[in-house]
Amino acid sequence: MRSYATAVGNEIYKGLRFAWAERLQILIELPMFVIIMLFMGPIMGQAQQIVSGSLKWSLNSESTSILVAWFIPFMFFYLQVVKMFWRLVAERQAGTLEQVYLSPLPSWLVIAAGRVVAAVVETLIVAAGMFAIVRIIVPLHFHLMVSVLLPVLLMIVTAVGVSLLVAGATLIWGRIEMITESVLLLMFVGSVGAVPLVSLPDWWKTFGRILPVNTSLESLLGVLFQGRSATTLWGPGGLVWVLIVAAAYLAAGIFAVSLGGKIAKRRGTLSRY
Protein backbone atom coordinates (compact mmCIF):
# COMPACT_ATOMS: atom_id res chain seq x y z
CA MET A 1 0.00 0.00 0.00
CA ARG A 2 2.89 2.35 0.72
CA SER A 3 4.31 1.95 -2.77
CA TYR A 4 0.86 2.53 -4.27
CA ALA A 5 0.33 5.67 -2.21
CA THR A 6 3.81 6.92 -3.16
CA ALA A 7 3.12 6.37 -6.85
CA VAL A 8 -0.20 8.23 -6.71
CA GLY A 9 1.29 11.02 -4.61
CA ASN A 10 4.17 11.50 -7.03
CA GLU A 11 1.82 11.76 -10.00
CA ILE A 12 -0.44 14.23 -8.18
CA TYR A 13 2.60 16.31 -7.24
CA LYS A 14 3.86 16.26 -10.82
CA GLY A 15 0.41 17.26 -12.10
CA LEU A 16 0.30 20.19 -9.67
CA ARG A 17 3.77 21.26 -10.81
CA PHE A 18 2.54 21.28 -14.41
CA ALA A 19 -0.47 23.36 -13.34
CA TRP A 20 1.71 25.83 -11.42
CA ALA A 21 3.93 26.29 -14.48
CA GLU A 22 0.81 27.34 -16.43
CA ARG A 23 -0.55 29.76 -13.82
CA LEU A 24 0.01 32.80 -16.04
CA GLN A 25 -2.13 31.26 -18.79
CA ILE A 26 -5.01 30.75 -16.34
CA LEU A 27 -4.77 34.35 -15.12
CA ILE A 28 -4.78 35.64 -18.70
CA GLU A 29 -7.81 33.53 -19.63
CA LEU A 30 -9.88 34.44 -16.56
CA PRO A 31 -10.95 37.92 -17.81
CA MET A 32 -12.01 36.32 -21.10
CA PHE A 33 -14.26 33.88 -19.26
CA VAL A 34 -15.84 36.73 -17.32
CA ILE A 35 -16.46 38.72 -20.52
CA ILE A 36 -18.17 35.69 -22.08
CA MET A 37 -20.52 35.45 -19.09
CA LEU A 38 -21.34 39.15 -19.11
CA PHE A 39 -21.95 39.10 -22.86
CA MET A 40 -24.14 36.00 -22.91
CA GLY A 41 -26.14 36.91 -19.80
CA PRO A 42 -28.43 39.53 -21.40
CA ILE A 43 -29.24 37.46 -24.51
CA MET A 44 -29.78 33.93 -23.19
CA GLY A 45 -33.48 33.11 -23.04
CA GLN A 46 -34.39 36.37 -24.80
CA ALA A 47 -35.10 35.05 -28.31
CA GLN A 48 -38.50 36.74 -28.66
CA GLN A 49 -37.15 40.08 -27.52
CA ILE A 50 -34.20 39.86 -29.91
CA VAL A 51 -36.47 39.03 -32.87
CA SER A 52 -38.90 41.84 -32.04
CA GLY A 53 -36.08 44.31 -31.53
CA SER A 54 -37.14 45.07 -27.97
CA LEU A 55 -34.20 43.50 -26.14
CA LYS A 56 -33.19 45.44 -23.05
CA TRP A 57 -29.47 44.95 -22.53
CA SER A 58 -29.33 44.18 -18.83
CA LEU A 59 -28.07 41.35 -16.66
CA ASN A 60 -30.66 39.17 -15.00
CA SER A 61 -29.66 37.54 -11.74
CA GLU A 62 -31.38 34.21 -12.43
CA SER A 63 -30.12 33.73 -15.99
CA THR A 64 -26.58 34.84 -15.12
CA SER A 65 -26.51 32.42 -12.18
CA ILE A 66 -27.53 29.56 -14.50
CA LEU A 67 -24.89 30.54 -17.03
CA VAL A 68 -22.15 30.58 -14.40
CA ALA A 69 -23.27 27.17 -13.09
CA TRP A 70 -23.26 25.86 -16.69
CA PHE A 71 -19.90 27.32 -17.70
CA ILE A 72 -17.81 26.21 -14.71
CA PRO A 73 -18.41 22.44 -15.22
CA PHE A 74 -17.53 22.78 -18.89
CA MET A 75 -14.38 24.63 -17.86
CA PHE A 76 -13.41 21.64 -15.71
CA PHE A 77 -13.95 19.31 -18.67
CA TYR A 78 -11.83 21.60 -20.82
CA LEU A 79 -8.96 21.78 -18.34
CA GLN A 80 -9.06 18.04 -17.68
CA VAL A 81 -9.14 16.92 -21.31
CA VAL A 82 -6.88 19.51 -22.99
CA LYS A 83 -4.22 19.55 -20.28
CA MET A 84 -4.22 15.73 -20.21
CA PHE A 85 -3.48 15.70 -23.94
CA TRP A 86 -0.69 18.28 -23.80
CA ARG A 87 0.88 16.67 -20.75
CA LEU A 88 1.11 13.31 -22.49
CA VAL A 89 2.50 14.92 -25.64
CA ALA A 90 5.16 16.72 -23.57
CA GLU A 91 6.15 13.53 -21.75
CA ARG A 92 6.20 11.60 -25.01
CA GLN A 93 8.55 14.13 -26.56
CA ALA A 94 10.73 14.28 -23.43
CA GLY A 95 11.04 10.49 -23.32
CA THR A 96 9.61 10.20 -19.80
CA LEU A 97 6.28 8.57 -20.66
CA GLU A 98 7.75 5.10 -20.15
CA GLN A 99 7.86 5.83 -16.40
CA VAL A 100 4.09 5.40 -16.30
CA TYR A 101 4.57 1.69 -16.94
CA LEU A 102 7.18 1.31 -14.16
CA SER A 103 4.58 2.09 -11.49
CA PRO A 104 2.95 -0.69 -9.45
CA LEU A 105 -0.41 0.89 -10.31
CA PRO A 106 -2.40 0.38 -13.53
CA SER A 107 -1.29 2.83 -16.23
CA TRP A 108 -4.74 4.43 -16.50
CA LEU A 109 -4.79 5.24 -12.77
CA VAL A 110 -1.32 6.79 -12.90
CA ILE A 111 -2.27 8.93 -15.90
CA ALA A 112 -5.58 10.01 -14.34
CA ALA A 113 -4.14 10.77 -10.90
CA GLY A 114 -1.56 13.06 -12.43
CA ARG A 115 -4.17 15.34 -13.93
CA VAL A 116 -7.51 15.27 -12.13
CA VAL A 117 -6.37 16.94 -8.88
CA ALA A 118 -4.67 19.73 -10.82
CA ALA A 119 -7.81 20.21 -12.95
CA VAL A 120 -9.98 20.47 -9.82
CA VAL A 121 -7.63 23.05 -8.26
CA GLU A 122 -7.47 25.09 -11.48
CA THR A 123 -11.24 25.00 -11.85
CA LEU A 124 -11.73 26.16 -8.25
CA ILE A 125 -9.43 29.12 -8.90
CA VAL A 126 -11.23 30.03 -12.13
CA ALA A 127 -14.64 29.57 -10.48
CA ALA A 128 -13.69 31.71 -7.49
CA GLY A 129 -12.33 34.48 -9.70
CA MET A 130 -15.31 34.41 -12.04
CA PHE A 131 -17.82 34.34 -9.19
CA ALA A 132 -16.11 37.23 -7.38
CA ILE A 133 -16.00 39.46 -10.47
CA VAL A 134 -19.48 38.69 -11.80
CA ARG A 135 -20.95 38.94 -8.30
CA ILE A 136 -19.85 42.58 -8.13
CA ILE A 137 -21.95 43.37 -11.22
CA VAL A 138 -25.01 41.18 -10.70
CA PRO A 139 -26.23 39.11 -7.70
CA LEU A 140 -25.82 35.34 -8.05
CA HIS A 141 -28.17 32.95 -6.28
CA PHE A 142 -27.84 29.16 -5.85
CA HIS A 143 -29.54 26.53 -3.66
CA LEU A 144 -26.30 25.30 -2.14
CA MET A 145 -26.61 22.01 -0.26
CA VAL A 146 -24.44 19.03 0.55
CA SER A 147 -26.15 16.87 -2.09
CA VAL A 148 -24.58 19.03 -4.82
CA LEU A 149 -21.36 17.08 -4.20
CA LEU A 150 -22.86 13.94 -5.78
CA PRO A 151 -23.35 15.33 -9.32
CA VAL A 152 -20.01 17.14 -9.00
CA LEU A 153 -18.26 13.86 -8.12
CA LEU A 154 -19.94 12.01 -10.98
CA MET A 155 -19.00 14.86 -13.31
CA ILE A 156 -15.37 14.45 -12.29
CA VAL A 157 -15.55 10.68 -12.93
CA THR A 158 -17.07 11.29 -16.36
CA ALA A 159 -14.45 13.91 -17.24
CA VAL A 160 -11.69 11.51 -16.21
CA GLY A 161 -13.18 8.90 -18.54
CA VAL A 162 -13.27 11.34 -21.46
CA SER A 163 -9.70 12.47 -20.80
CA LEU A 164 -8.55 8.84 -20.71
CA LEU A 165 -10.18 8.30 -24.12
CA VAL A 166 -8.10 11.20 -25.40
CA ALA A 167 -5.02 9.81 -23.62
CA GLY A 168 -5.46 6.42 -25.30
CA ALA A 169 -5.73 8.05 -28.72
CA THR A 170 -2.66 10.19 -27.93
CA LEU A 171 -0.61 7.10 -27.07
CA ILE A 172 -1.39 5.69 -30.51
CA TRP A 173 -1.33 8.72 -32.80
CA GLY A 174 0.47 11.45 -30.87
CA ARG A 175 -0.49 14.92 -32.09
CA ILE A 176 -4.29 14.87 -32.24
CA GLU A 177 -4.95 18.40 -31.02
CA MET A 178 -7.49 19.12 -33.77
CA ILE A 179 -9.50 16.05 -32.78
CA THR A 180 -9.32 17.02 -29.11
CA GLU A 181 -10.51 20.57 -29.80
CA SER A 182 -13.31 19.28 -32.05
CA VAL A 183 -14.55 16.93 -29.35
CA LEU A 184 -14.58 19.76 -26.81
CA LEU A 185 -16.39 22.05 -29.25
CA LEU A 186 -19.06 19.37 -29.74
CA MET A 187 -19.38 19.03 -25.97
CA PHE A 188 -19.68 22.80 -25.55
CA VAL A 189 -22.38 23.18 -28.20
CA GLY A 190 -24.18 20.05 -27.07
CA SER A 191 -24.19 21.09 -23.43
CA VAL A 192 -26.53 23.97 -24.30
CA GLY A 193 -29.31 21.36 -24.30
CA ALA A 194 -28.96 21.09 -20.52
CA VAL A 195 -29.47 24.83 -19.98
CA PRO A 196 -33.11 25.63 -19.08
CA LEU A 197 -32.81 29.08 -20.70
CA VAL A 198 -32.61 27.56 -24.19
CA SER A 199 -35.35 25.80 -26.17
CA LEU A 200 -34.04 23.13 -28.54
CA PRO A 201 -35.62 20.45 -30.76
CA ASP A 202 -36.37 17.12 -29.09
CA TRP A 203 -33.81 15.30 -31.26
CA TRP A 204 -31.08 17.62 -29.99
CA LYS A 205 -32.05 16.97 -26.38
CA THR A 206 -32.00 13.22 -27.07
CA PHE A 207 -28.56 13.50 -28.64
CA GLY A 208 -27.37 15.56 -25.68
CA ARG A 209 -28.21 12.76 -23.25
CA ILE A 210 -25.23 10.74 -24.49
CA LEU A 211 -22.77 13.64 -24.25
CA PRO A 212 -20.57 13.35 -21.14
CA VAL A 213 -21.16 16.79 -19.64
CA ASN A 214 -24.96 16.94 -20.05
CA THR A 215 -26.20 14.26 -17.69
CA SER A 216 -24.34 15.36 -14.57
CA LEU A 217 -24.89 19.00 -15.56
CA GLU A 218 -28.67 18.48 -15.62
CA SER A 219 -28.47 16.94 -12.17
CA LEU A 220 -26.30 19.81 -10.91
CA LEU A 221 -28.60 22.50 -12.29
CA GLY A 222 -31.62 20.72 -10.82
CA VAL A 223 -30.07 20.80 -7.36
CA LEU A 224 -28.84 24.39 -7.60
CA PHE A 225 -31.93 26.02 -9.08
CA GLN A 226 -34.89 23.72 -8.53
CA GLY A 227 -34.06 22.35 -5.10
CA ARG A 228 -34.28 18.83 -6.53
CA SER A 229 -32.61 15.96 -4.72
CA ALA A 230 -29.45 14.64 -6.35
CA THR A 231 -30.60 11.09 -5.56
CA THR A 232 -33.76 11.33 -7.68
CA LEU A 233 -33.52 8.16 -9.75
CA TRP A 234 -35.35 9.10 -12.95
CA GLY A 235 -36.17 12.12 -15.07
CA PRO A 236 -33.82 14.82 -16.40
CA GLY A 237 -30.57 14.47 -14.49
CA GLY A 238 -31.81 11.29 -12.81
CA LEU A 239 -29.18 9.45 -10.79
CA VAL A 240 -29.56 6.15 -12.69
CA TRP A 241 -28.70 7.64 -16.07
CA VAL A 242 -25.94 9.84 -14.61
CA LEU A 243 -24.32 6.75 -13.07
CA ILE A 244 -24.62 4.79 -16.32
CA VAL A 245 -23.01 7.55 -18.36
CA ALA A 246 -20.20 8.11 -15.84
CA ALA A 247 -19.43 4.38 -15.61
CA ALA A 248 -19.58 3.95 -19.39
CA TYR A 249 -17.14 6.77 -20.12
CA LEU A 250 -14.76 5.69 -17.36
CA ALA A 251 -14.77 2.08 -18.60
CA ALA A 252 -14.24 3.23 -22.20
CA GLY A 253 -11.36 5.46 -21.08
CA ILE A 254 -9.66 2.66 -19.15
CA PHE A 255 -9.96 0.38 -22.16
CA ALA A 256 -8.59 3.10 -24.47
CA VAL A 257 -5.50 3.68 -22.32
CA SER A 258 -4.89 -0.05 -22.00
CA LEU A 259 -5.20 -0.59 -25.74
CA GLY A 260 -3.22 2.53 -26.63
CA GLY A 261 -0.41 1.55 -24.27
CA LYS A 262 -0.16 -1.95 -25.76
CA ILE A 263 -0.05 -0.60 -29.31
CA ALA A 264 2.52 2.10 -28.43
CA LYS A 265 4.78 -0.39 -26.64
CA ARG A 266 4.55 -2.82 -29.54
CA ARG A 267 5.48 -0.05 -31.98
CA GLY A 268 8.14 1.39 -29.65
CA THR A 269 6.58 4.86 -29.93
CA LEU A 270 6.18 5.86 -26.28
CA SER A 271 8.98 8.40 -26.68
CA ARG A 272 8.57 9.42 -30.31
CA TYR A 273 7.75 12.97 -31.43
Side-chain angles (χ1 to χ4, degrees):
M1 289 299 298
R2 183 178 180 180
S3 61
Y4 292 165
T6 300
V8 172
N10 288 340
E11 289 302 317
I12 291 175
Y13 175 72
K14 184 166 65 174
L16 291 173
R17 289 287 299 270
F18 271 105
W20 178 249
E22 297 168 347
R23 62 191 181 278
L24 180 59
Q25 177 185 349
I26 297 295
L27 292 176
I28 292 174
E29 290 176 343
L30 180 57
M32 180 185 67
F33 300 149
V34 174
I35 291 172
I36 291 175
M37 287 296 97
L38 298 180
F39 177 78
M40 294 180 64
I43 63 176
M44 294 295 283
Q46 303 293 326
Q48 294 297 329
Q49 290 82 349
I50 294 174
V51 172
S52 63
S54 60
L55 174 66
K56 182 180 179 181
W57 195 268
S58 62
L59 287 169
N60 177 274
S61 176
E62 181 182 0
S63 60
T64 306
S65 299
I66 292 174
L67 285 175
V68 170
W70 160 65
F71 190 78
I72 290 175
F74 175 78
M75 182 52 52
F76 171 75
F77 267 81
Y78 176 83
L79 291 171
Q80 174 69 20
V81 174
V82 170
K83 298 299 180 67
M84 170 76 82
F85 163 71
W86 284 112
R87 177 194 160 187
L88 287 181
V89 169
E91 293 206 34
R92 196 170 185 240
Q93 294 174 353
T96 59
L97 190 55
E98 293 95 333
Q99 295 176 5
V100 170
Y101 298 93
L102 299 177
S103 169
L105 297 172
S107 57
W108 69 268
L109 183 56
V110 176
I111 292 173
R115 181 57 221 160
V116 66
V117 175
V120 170
V121 172
E122 290 171 334
T123 303
L124 288 175
I125 294 173
V126 171
M130 179 184 297
F131 183 88
I133 297 173
V134 175
R135 181 67 179 78
I136 295 174
I137 302 172
V138 58
L140 299 176
H141 302 288
F142 308 98
H143 295 296
L144 292 177
M145 54 189 72
V146 177
S147 61
V148 78
L149 295 176
L150 180 57
V152 169
L153 177 61
L154 291 174
M155 187 177 294
I156 292 174
V157 172
T158 308
V160 169
V162 175
S163 65
L164 289 176
L165 283 169
V166 172
T170 304
L171 290 172
I172 299 174
W173 293 295
R175 301 297 293 267
I176 58 167
E177 52 265 43
M178 290 301 296
I179 296 176
T180 302
E181 295 292 344
S182 298
V183 169
L184 286 169
L185 179 60
L186 177 63
M187 287 171 50
F188 180 77
V189 175
S191 67
V192 176
V195 180
L197 301 174
V198 182
S199 297
L200 295 171
D202 291 338
W203 66 266
W204 184 269
K205 294 180 180 179
T206 302
F207 168 71
R209 287 179 63 80
I210 65 174
L211 294 176
V213 69
N214 283 33
T215 51
S216 49
L217 181 57
E218 284 183 331
S219 177
L220 178 64
L221 294 178
V223 174
L224 290 176
F225 300 104
Q226 300 172 10
R228 189 174 62 203
S229 172
T231 56
T232 301
L233 296 180
W234 306 103
L239 182 59
V240 172
W241 184 243
V242 177
L243 286 171
I244 290 174
V245 171
Y249 275 101
L250 181 61
I254 293 173
F255 174 77
V257 168
S258 177
L259 178 62
K262 290 179 181 178
I263 294 175
K265 286 189 287 186
R266 186 168 65 247
R267 293 176 178 174
T269 58
L270 282 174
S271 59
R272 180 182 297 177
Y273 177 76

